[in-house]
Amino acid sequence: MKKIGIIGGGQLGRMLREAPTAARYTIGQLVPNLDCPCRKFSNLTVGDWQDADTVAAWGQGYDVVTVEWEHVSRVGLEKLETMGVEVYPQAGVLGVIADKGRQKEFYVERGLPTAEYMLWDGEGVLPEGVELPCVQKARTGGYDGQGVQVVREWGDLWPVPSVLEELVEIDREVSVVVARGVGGQMVHLPPVGMEFDPVANLVQCLYAPVGLAEDTLNKCVRVARETAAAYGVVGLLAVELFVTNEGRVLINEVAPRPHNSGHHTIEACNVSQYDLHLRAIAGEALPEPAQTFGGVAMVNILGGEGHGEAVWRGKSVLSEHPNATLHDYEKTMTKPYRKMGHVTVTAPTVAEAKAVALGVQRRLEVVPSAVSGVNS
Ligand code: ADP
């Protein structure tokens, strides 16, 4: 039985371990503490994933090591690669992706389409040719909308090494998740559309099919597959794309792991992104993914106002919608905008799925116990 080690103990690790394929491997995890969404599983090792020696000492017990979170010690992963452990995504791929500036250069070097940009060191004079408004992205450390801002006045720039990108007129944000096997076999999930909450800058609702012209969707798929092939990544690569008002398809960024835009595949496809990731990194053949419902929508359930012990309200709404599935990540503590769970809704059409999903999202709440009056 192949031994697979996962770095991270969050919801993505949890759904990887819940995938039917997981039963075919011995799986262990390196987690920051035992109070995490993966606490119900066996073979958890508590340790600091940013510490190279910890990562190397833990990982050498596995045939394959993967991550559910990319901000881990790359030196540790490189050590494992040197020892002969298969690390997927490869440390080199993570190195490019961890730096948004390097990521942009990678696309330009390979002729892959992406928005115009300049690099800025965060303190010197601005590079020539940058115009306002532009989008500032911290080169490292940002995620889930943190570290990204639209700049309308020069005084608003954060003094950090950044990518300064043209403000694109986005018609639609689309994600295509590609799975690439050890031998280079590639399959992709049907493209999904992403709608953002403008305040939280987080995906609010995700849906498929996307409802764009077929040639535009084909372009999205082609760009995503070319991107995965260019990285040579093994495992999943979620490629986030902008479709512009003029029909251009631009790569925004990528994630080399299961992605928010693939959660719905658990209920709505013949194979989930989690199964695909495990099969890909284990060196198995990949089935051709297909959506098994006319429409699907997924909404994130985010923490409401306040910090504290998490209490869910409104779960009874699920009993009114047999086509809605709640995934409660069972996080003990909540804070504003923390991803606490998600709901997937399948229906004959996207419009029906979206309507139910947004309705359920409005009625579900996660608040700190002091606010809820429970346990306070
Ligand atoms: P994160 O890494 O935090 O997810 P992204 O780079 O994906 O950040 O940006 C978050 C969101 O900001 C995008 O999904 C998009 O809505 C908006 N955005 C990012 N870059 C641009 C751009 N160049 N033009 C217009 N909007 C953008």
Side-chain angles (χ1 to χ4, degrees):
M1 208 186 240
K2 227 170 199 162
K3 291 179 82 176
I4 296 180
I6 302 170
I7 303 183
Q11 62 266 21
L12 301 176
R14 178 179 167 118
M15 288 184 271
L16 276 171
R17 292 198 68 170
E18 286 169 345
T21 307
R24 296 201 261 122
Y25 315 109
T26 301
I27 301 185
Q29 286 174 264
L30 180 64
V31 298
N33 57 63
L34 291 177
D35 182 20
C36 64
C38 290
R39 61 182 171 272
K40 62 181 176 174
F41 301 112
S42 56
N43 298 334
L44 303 185
T45 303
V46 176
D48 178 3
W49 57 50
Q50 301 211 320
D51 180 67
D53 292 334
T54 303
V55 168
W58 163 84
Q60 62 186 342
Y62 294 93
D63 301 308
V64 184
V65 163
T66 191
V67 299
E68 60 119 49
W69 163 252
E70 51 273 48
H71 304 283
V72 306
S73 167
R74 281 200 307 285
V75 174
L77 295 179
E78 283 160 8
K79 283 188 182 187
L80 287 172
E81 286 176 340
T82 313
M83 289 179 217
V85 175
E86 294 177 72
V87 177
Y88 301 133
Q90 302 91 321
V93 173
L94 285 172
V96 175
I97 292 172
D99 175 350
K100 287 192 177 186
R102 181 72 200 94
Q103 207 184 126
K104 295 287 283 187
E105 286 171 347
F106 179 88
Y107 303 136
V108 172
E109 284 160 13
R110 282 156 184 80
L112 293 163
T114 191
E116 296 290 329
Y117 73 100
M118 300 270 185
L119 297 181
W120 180 51
D121 62 10
E123 47 189 8
V125 282
L126 284 164
E128 252 175 64
V130 185
E131 283 170 22
L132 291 178
C134 71
V135 180
Q136 180 179 26
K137 301 182 177 184
R139 288 185 66 156
T140 56
Y143 64 94
D144 276 353
Q146 299 168 28
V148 176
Q149 67 164 346
V150 176
V151 176
R152 298 190 187 277
E153 290 177 34
W154 293 124
D156 295 340
L157 279 170
W158 297 314
V160 293
S162 310
V163 174
L164 301 178
E165 202 171 87
E166 70 173 298
L167 182 68
V168 175
E169 291 198 23
I170 301 170
D171 174 29
R172 214 73 82 84
E173 299 202 34
V174 173
S175 166
V176 180
V177 175
V178 179
R180 188 172 175 282
V182 173
Q185 185 200 353
M186 274 199 292
V187 298
H188 63 270
L189 295 169
V192 301
M194 300 186 285
E195 277 171 13
F196 282 78
D197 174 330
V199 179
N201 208 5
L202 276 175
V203 178
Q204 188 188 28
C205 177
L206 170 159
Y207 56 93
V210 181
L212 283 171
E214 204 175 316
D215 61 335
T216 308
L217 286 176
N218 288 342
K219 213 191 279 181
C220 291
V221 168
R222 198 173 60 240
V223 169
R225 290 179 68 108
E226 283 171 5
T227 306
Y231 277 111
V233 65
V234 171
L236 295 179
L237 190 75
V239 184
E240 295 182 23
L241 302 159
F242 297 144
V243 176
T244 71
N245 287 348
E246 319 90 66
R248 286 192 301 159
V249 171
L250 303 172
I251 303 165
N252 174 26
E253 60 171 358
V254 300
R257 52 165 169 77
H259 191 249
N260 209 240
S261 67
H263 288 346
H264 67 289
T265 56
I266 296 172
E267 286 85 16
C269 291
N270 60 334
V271 60
S272 76
Q273 65 166 347
Y274 303 97
D275 274 311
L276 283 173
H277 187 66
L278 291 173
R279 286 170 195 248
I281 65 173
E284 297 191 17
L286 305 175
E288 217 35 78
Q291 192 167 310
T292 48
F293 289 88
V296 59
M298 190 287 291
V299 286
N300 290 313
I301 309 300
L302 306 179
E305 260 178 45
H307 293 61
E309 209 167 305
V311 175
W312 283 73
R313 284 179 183 162
K315 276 188 178 176
S316 60
V317 65
L318 274 308
S319 61
E320 295 165 29
H321 300 288
N323 54 343
T325 306
L326 168 67
H327 292 255
D328 173 353
Y329 306 150
E330 296 186 294
K331 293 183 182 175
T332 320
M333 306 302 282
T334 181
K335 60 182 178 186
Y337 301 119
R338 186 171 194 202
K339 287 179 180 155
M340 302 302 290
H342 76 262
V343 174
T344 301
V345 178
T346 54
T349 65
V350 168
E352 290 164 272
K354 261 192 189 179
V356 172
L358 292 170
V360 169
Q361 188 184 42
R362 270 193 295 275
R363 289 183 45 197
L364 270 175
E365 254 190 315
V366 188
V367 289
S369 58
V371 172
S372 77
V374 180
N375 300 332
S376 59

Short mmCIF file of all heavy atoms in Angstrom, two decimals, residues 100 135 137 143-146 148 165-168 170 173 196 201 240 242 252-253, ligand 1:
data_model
loop_
_atom_site.label_atom_id
_atom_site.label_comp_id
_atom_site.label_asym_id
_atom_site.label_seq_id
_atom_site.Cartn_x
_atom_site.Cartn_y
_atom_site.Cartn_z
N LYS A 100 4.48 35.90 -6.64
CA LYS A 100 3.61 36.32 -7.74
C LYS A 100 4.38 36.98 -8.88
O LYS A 100 3.96 36.93 -10.03
CB LYS A 100 2.50 37.25 -7.23
CG LYS A 100 1.44 36.50 -6.44
CD LYS A 100 0.19 37.34 -6.18
CE LYS A 100 -0.83 36.47 -5.44
NZ LYS A 100 -2.13 37.10 -5.24
N VAL A 135 -3.54 47.36 -10.27
CA VAL A 135 -3.79 46.41 -9.19
C VAL A 135 -2.44 46.05 -8.58
O VAL A 135 -1.52 45.63 -9.29
CB VAL A 135 -4.50 45.13 -9.71
CG1 VAL A 135 -4.74 44.15 -8.58
CG2 VAL A 135 -5.82 45.51 -10.38
N LYS A 137 -0.25 43.71 -6.14
CA LYS A 137 -0.27 42.39 -5.51
C LYS A 137 1.07 42.17 -4.81
O LYS A 137 2.12 42.22 -5.46
CB LYS A 137 -0.46 41.30 -6.57
CG LYS A 137 -1.76 41.48 -7.34
CD LYS A 137 -2.00 40.40 -8.35
CE LYS A 137 -3.36 40.64 -9.00
NZ LYS A 137 -3.74 39.60 -9.95
N TYR A 143 -2.94 35.78 0.36
CA TYR A 143 -3.85 34.73 -0.10
C TYR A 143 -5.27 35.15 0.23
O TYR A 143 -5.48 36.03 1.07
CB TYR A 143 -3.53 33.36 0.53
CG TYR A 143 -3.72 33.32 2.03
CD1 TYR A 143 -4.92 32.88 2.58
CD2 TYR A 143 -2.71 33.73 2.89
CE1 TYR A 143 -5.10 32.87 3.95
CE2 TYR A 143 -2.89 33.71 4.25
CZ TYR A 143 -4.08 33.27 4.77
OH TYR A 143 -4.26 33.27 6.14
N ASP A 144 -6.23 34.52 -0.45
CA ASP A 144 -7.65 34.81 -0.22
C ASP A 144 -7.95 36.30 -0.18
O ASP A 144 -8.63 36.81 0.71
CB ASP A 144 -8.12 34.17 1.10
CG ASP A 144 -8.51 32.72 0.91
OD1 ASP A 144 -8.54 32.26 -0.25
OD2 ASP A 144 -8.79 32.04 1.90
N GLY A 145 -7.44 37.02 -1.17
CA GLY A 145 -7.78 38.43 -1.28
C GLY A 145 -6.93 39.35 -0.43
O GLY A 145 -6.95 40.56 -0.60
N GLN A 146 -6.12 38.79 0.49
CA GLN A 146 -5.22 39.65 1.27
C GLN A 146 -3.99 39.89 0.39
O GLN A 146 -3.56 39.01 -0.32
CB GLN A 146 -4.77 38.95 2.55
CG GLN A 146 -5.90 38.62 3.48
CD GLN A 146 -5.45 37.68 4.58
OE1 GLN A 146 -4.29 37.67 4.98
NE2 GLN A 146 -6.37 36.89 5.08
N VAL A 148 -3.85 42.08 -2.02
CA VAL A 148 -4.25 42.56 -3.35
C VAL A 148 -5.10 43.80 -3.16
O VAL A 148 -6.02 43.81 -2.33
CB VAL A 148 -5.07 41.49 -4.12
CG1 VAL A 148 -5.56 42.05 -5.45
CG2 VAL A 148 -4.26 40.23 -4.34
N GLU A 165 -0.19 45.57 -11.71
CA GLU A 165 -0.81 44.95 -12.88
C GLU A 165 -1.86 45.88 -13.46
O GLU A 165 -2.51 46.62 -12.72
CB GLU A 165 -1.46 43.66 -12.39
CG GLU A 165 -1.70 42.62 -13.43
CD GLU A 165 -2.15 41.30 -12.79
OE1 GLU A 165 -3.36 41.14 -12.56
OE2 GLU A 165 -1.30 40.45 -12.50
N GLU A 166 -2.04 45.80 -14.77
CA GLU A 166 -3.12 46.59 -15.39
C GLU A 166 -4.46 46.16 -14.77
O GLU A 166 -4.66 44.99 -14.44
CB GLU A 166 -3.16 46.35 -16.91
CG GLU A 166 -3.63 44.95 -17.26
CD GLU A 166 -3.87 44.69 -18.75
OE1 GLU A 166 -4.74 45.34 -19.35
OE2 GLU A 166 -3.21 43.79 -19.28
N LEU A 167 -5.36 47.12 -14.60
CA LEU A 167 -6.70 46.80 -14.12
C LEU A 167 -7.49 46.28 -15.32
O LEU A 167 -7.77 47.03 -16.25
CB LEU A 167 -7.35 48.06 -13.53
CG LEU A 167 -8.75 47.88 -12.94
CD1 LEU A 167 -8.73 47.02 -11.69
CD2 LEU A 167 -9.36 49.24 -12.59
N VAL A 168 -7.81 45.00 -15.27
CA VAL A 168 -8.45 44.36 -16.41
C VAL A 168 -9.96 44.52 -16.30
O VAL A 168 -10.53 44.45 -15.21
CB VAL A 168 -8.09 42.84 -16.41
CG1 VAL A 168 -8.83 42.12 -17.51
CG2 VAL A 168 -6.60 42.66 -16.55
N ILE A 170 -12.93 42.80 -16.43
CA ILE A 170 -13.25 41.37 -16.38
C ILE A 170 -14.72 41.13 -16.69
O ILE A 170 -15.60 41.72 -16.07
CB ILE A 170 -12.92 40.79 -14.98
CG1 ILE A 170 -11.44 41.02 -14.65
CG2 ILE A 170 -13.27 39.31 -14.90
CD1 ILE A 170 -11.08 40.69 -13.20
N GLU A 173 -14.82 35.56 -14.30
CA GLU A 173 -13.68 34.84 -13.73
C GLU A 173 -13.99 33.36 -13.80
O GLU A 173 -15.06 32.91 -13.38
CB GLU A 173 -13.42 35.28 -12.29
CG GLU A 173 -13.10 36.78 -12.22
CD GLU A 173 -12.34 37.20 -10.98
OE1 GLU A 173 -11.52 36.42 -10.47
OE2 GLU A 173 -12.59 38.33 -10.52
N PHE A 196 -17.32 36.92 -7.00
CA PHE A 196 -16.61 37.36 -5.81
C PHE A 196 -17.46 38.28 -4.95
O PHE A 196 -18.24 39.08 -5.45
CB PHE A 196 -15.32 38.08 -6.18
CG PHE A 196 -14.24 37.12 -6.56
CD1 PHE A 196 -14.23 36.53 -7.82
CD2 PHE A 196 -13.27 36.76 -5.65
CE1 PHE A 196 -13.25 35.61 -8.16
CE2 PHE A 196 -12.29 35.84 -5.97
CZ PHE A 196 -12.28 35.26 -7.23
N ASN A 201 -13.45 40.10 -0.88
CA ASN A 201 -12.55 39.70 -1.96
C ASN A 201 -12.35 38.18 -1.95
O ASN A 201 -11.27 37.68 -2.20
CB ASN A 201 -11.21 40.43 -1.87
CG ASN A 201 -10.58 40.59 -3.25
OD1 ASN A 201 -11.19 40.23 -4.25
ND2 ASN A 201 -9.37 41.10 -3.30
N GLU A 240 -6.72 29.90 -12.40
CA GLU A 240 -7.73 30.96 -12.31
C GLU A 240 -7.52 31.90 -13.49
O GLU A 240 -6.41 32.42 -13.69
CB GLU A 240 -7.60 31.73 -11.00
CG GLU A 240 -7.90 30.89 -9.78
CD GLU A 240 -7.81 31.71 -8.48
OE1 GLU A 240 -7.95 32.95 -8.53
OE2 GLU A 240 -7.59 31.10 -7.43
N PHE A 242 -9.05 35.16 -16.15
CA PHE A 242 -9.97 36.26 -16.42
C PHE A 242 -10.41 36.14 -17.87
O PHE A 242 -9.56 35.99 -18.76
CB PHE A 242 -9.28 37.62 -16.28
CG PHE A 242 -8.75 37.93 -14.91
CD1 PHE A 242 -7.57 38.65 -14.75
CD2 PHE A 242 -9.44 37.55 -13.76
CE1 PHE A 242 -7.07 38.96 -13.50
CE2 PHE A 242 -8.96 37.86 -12.49
CZ PHE A 242 -7.77 38.57 -12.36
N ASN A 252 -4.78 34.52 -14.25
CA ASN A 252 -4.61 35.35 -13.06
C ASN A 252 -3.55 34.71 -12.17
O ASN A 252 -2.47 35.26 -12.00
CB ASN A 252 -5.94 35.50 -12.33
CG ASN A 252 -5.80 36.24 -11.00
OD1 ASN A 252 -4.86 37.03 -10.84
ND2 ASN A 252 -6.67 35.97 -10.05
N GLU A 253 -3.85 33.54 -11.66
CA GLU A 253 -2.86 32.85 -10.84
C GLU A 253 -3.24 31.39 -10.77
O GLU A 253 -4.33 31.00 -11.22
CB GLU A 253 -2.79 33.46 -9.44
CG GLU A 253 -4.10 33.40 -8.70
CD GLU A 253 -3.97 33.81 -7.24
OE1 GLU A 253 -2.86 34.10 -6.79
OE2 GLU A 253 -5.00 33.81 -6.55
P1 ADP B 1 -5.58 36.08 -4.21
O1 ADP B 1 -4.26 35.48 -4.47
O2 ADP B 1 -5.68 36.72 -2.88
O3 ADP B 1 -6.73 35.16 -4.52
P2 ADP B 1 -5.92 37.38 -6.78
O4 ADP B 1 -4.68 37.73 -7.47
O5 ADP B 1 -6.65 36.17 -7.28
O6 ADP B 1 -5.69 37.31 -5.22
O7 ADP B 1 -6.92 38.60 -6.87
C1 ADP B 1 -8.15 38.59 -6.16
C2 ADP B 1 -9.24 39.19 -7.03
O8 ADP B 1 -8.92 40.54 -7.37
C3 ADP B 1 -9.41 38.48 -8.37
O9 ADP B 1 -10.17 37.33 -8.27
C4 ADP B 1 -10.08 39.59 -9.19
O10 ADP B 1 -11.46 39.68 -8.88
C5 ADP B 1 -9.37 40.85 -8.69
N1 ADP B 1 -8.22 41.14 -9.58
C6 ADP B 1 -6.97 40.61 -9.48
N2 ADP B 1 -6.17 41.08 -10.46
C7 ADP B 1 -6.91 41.91 -11.20
C8 ADP B 1 -6.65 42.72 -12.36
N3 ADP B 1 -5.44 42.76 -12.93
N4 ADP B 1 -7.67 43.44 -12.87
C9 ADP B 1 -8.89 43.44 -12.29
N5 ADP B 1 -9.20 42.72 -11.18
C10 ADP B 1 -8.23 41.96 -10.64
#
